[in-house]
Amino acid sequence: MRISMSLQQHARTLLAFCLCASPALAGVLPDDRTDALYHRYQGGGITIQGPSVLIQKKITDNFAVTGNWYQDYISSASIDVKLSASAYTEKRTQKSGGFQYLHGKSTYSAGIINSVEPDYKSNTTYYSVSQDMFGDLTTFTMTYKRGWDKVYRDLKDAATGRIINDPRFGNEGLTGADIAFRRSDHRGYAVGVSQILTRSLIASFNYEVLTDQGYLASPYRKVLYLSPGVGKGFTLAEQVYPNTRTSNAAAVEAKYYLWYRAAVTAQYRYFSDTWGIRAHTAEIGYTHPAWKSWIFDGTFRFTG
């Protein structure tokens, strides 16, 4: 969970924008497909890898279901853990399911995402409505999502040497078989508009507001301060984070279809929150189909 908390927050933002970016597909349910993926990331002393399987099935012309299973195997240590000299290995499993219902020019979507790791449990539901307008050239989408998280803190059991959840962590007042944890709740609201401008150009605008409430810090991150005359002269204390946060993100994207079956994409995204964080992200991508069964993608992204 040491790095997964930030991954969870990034995943929620990505989910909202994926849902909000779906207007171009409104009015047409996705085709049947089965995908298998193995991902691997290595950098900064951290290795993240694992498999993923996606199944998408159209039951009728108006109803489709989707299921996904995804795993992360995380090893080594983040910078926070390195400072405490305690490398670790962890596994996160995420399962999700959803459906889409097409009625006239409206598409209704809903689903649930469950993510479990030794010290973090997350459940997220989402609901989305898309409407085609103006001769199917414009699509408007609204999305709402709600998340409930439980945050735990791991420690090594002095008696057995095993890694367990710290029963003293949290403010729930739980004892015995009930392990103490802290709650974190999330709500997201998103709107999106997709517009076909020409035969070769489509543009979209997406806006999201995300509110977080509860325990938003990392249970492993500490602050070092001087304490003359006490122990070694310094003491570790937990960081103090606000228990509320509101963030806003807006993105514009344009995709242009080239005459030789390729496409180029440009996107700009602006992010801000009540913690004083501001971010600008610019991205350009290129997609090129080759032969009959291959598609090559390349992306360059700048964030500041």
Side-chain angles (χ1 to χ4, degrees):
M1 198 282 296
R2 301 158 180 84
I3 63 174
S4 294
M5 285 188 69
S6 60
L7 291 175
Q8 292 278 1
Q9 294 168 355
H10 173 73
R12 291 190 188 90
T13 302
L14 180 63
L15 169 66
F17 273 99
C18 287
L19 290 172
C20 220
S22 62
L25 300 178
V28 179
L29 292 181
D31 293 329
D32 295 351
R33 60 183 293 181
T34 302
D35 294 353
L37 165 74
Y38 189 87
H39 66 93
R40 178 181 172 87
Y41 167 82
Q42 188 170 7
I46 304 171
T47 300
I48 305 173
Q49 58 186 329
S52 178
V53 176
L54 169 70
I55 299 176
Q56 201 164 261
K57 176 64 177 177
K58 186 186 296 185
I59 306 301
T60 68
D61 290 339
N62 301 90
F63 187 79
V65 295
T66 302
N68 178 242
W69 177 83
Y70 181 94
Q71 272 194 338
D72 279 332
Y73 295 93
I74 306 171
S75 58
S76 191
S78 68
I79 183 62
D80 295 331
V81 182
K82 283 183 177 179
L83 292 175
S84 301
S86 56
Y88 71 98
T89 300
E90 197 168 85
K91 180 177 74 173
R92 179 175 71 95
T93 301
Q94 178 176 294
K95 296 174 288 185
S96 63
F99 74 88
Q100 288 182 298
Y101 174 68
L102 176 63
H103 180 70
K105 294 183 179 295
S106 301
T107 303
Y108 304 90
S109 306
I112 185 169
I113 303 171
N114 171 259
S115 178
V116 177
E117 53 193 289
D119 52 3
Y120 204 100
K121 294 179 174 60
S122 173
N123 290 285
T124 302
T125 61
Y126 63 88
Y127 315 89
S128 178
V129 179
S130 296
Q131 178 68 42
D132 286 347
M133 299 178 291
F134 309 124
D136 296 339
L137 298 178
T138 304
T139 304
F140 179 75
T141 300
M142 295 186 299
T143 302
Y144 170 74
K145 56 191 177 74
R146 179 76 165 88
W148 302 267
D149 298 352
K150 292 182 179 180
V151 184
Y152 302 80
R153 181 172 63 192
D154 282 351
L155 56 76
K156 181 178 290 187
D157 190 330
T160 64
R162 297 175 55 191
I163 300 299
I164 62 172
N165 292 138
D166 186 353
R168 299 166 299 176
F169 179 71
N171 52 13
E172 302 291 331
L174 303 179
T175 58
D178 295 321
I179 303 299
F181 58 87
R182 299 190 183 184
R183 296 184 183 276
S184 178
D185 293 339
H186 314 272
R187 289 180 175 85
Y189 312 85
V191 294
V193 178
S194 175
Q195 178 67 46
I196 298 176
L197 299 174
T198 69
R199 293 179 58 186
S200 304
L201 179 63
I202 182 172
S204 63
F205 171 78
N206 301 309
Y207 179 75
E208 180 199 21
V209 177
L210 182 65
T211 63
D212 305 308
Q213 183 176 7
Y215 186 78
L216 306 180
S218 168
Y220 304 100
R221 188 170 297 170
K222 305 292 184 179
V223 176
L224 181 67
Y225 67 92
L226 295 176
S227 55
V230 178
K232 297 181 180 181
F234 61 87
T235 304
L236 289 174
E238 290 191 15
Q239 289 184 325
V240 178
Y241 275 66
N243 58 7
T244 60
R245 181 187 186 190
T246 301
S247 57
N248 299 268
V252 291
E253 181 182 75
K255 184 180 292 288
Y256 187 77
Y257 178 77
L258 302 172
W259 64 92
Y260 50 92
R261 296 177 57 237
V264 61
T265 304
Q267 183 187 90
Y268 169 76
R269 179 175 181 263
Y270 175 73
F271 172 89
S272 66
D273 68 7
T274 53
W275 290 6
I277 299 175
R278 304 288 184 271
H280 302 267
T281 302
E283 181 177 303
I284 185 168
Y286 179 78
T287 302
H288 192 100
W291 304 289
K292 292 183 179 181
S293 306
W294 291 87
I295 298 178
F296 295 92
D297 288 300
T299 302
F300 176 79
R301 178 183 299 166
F302 173 80
T303 301

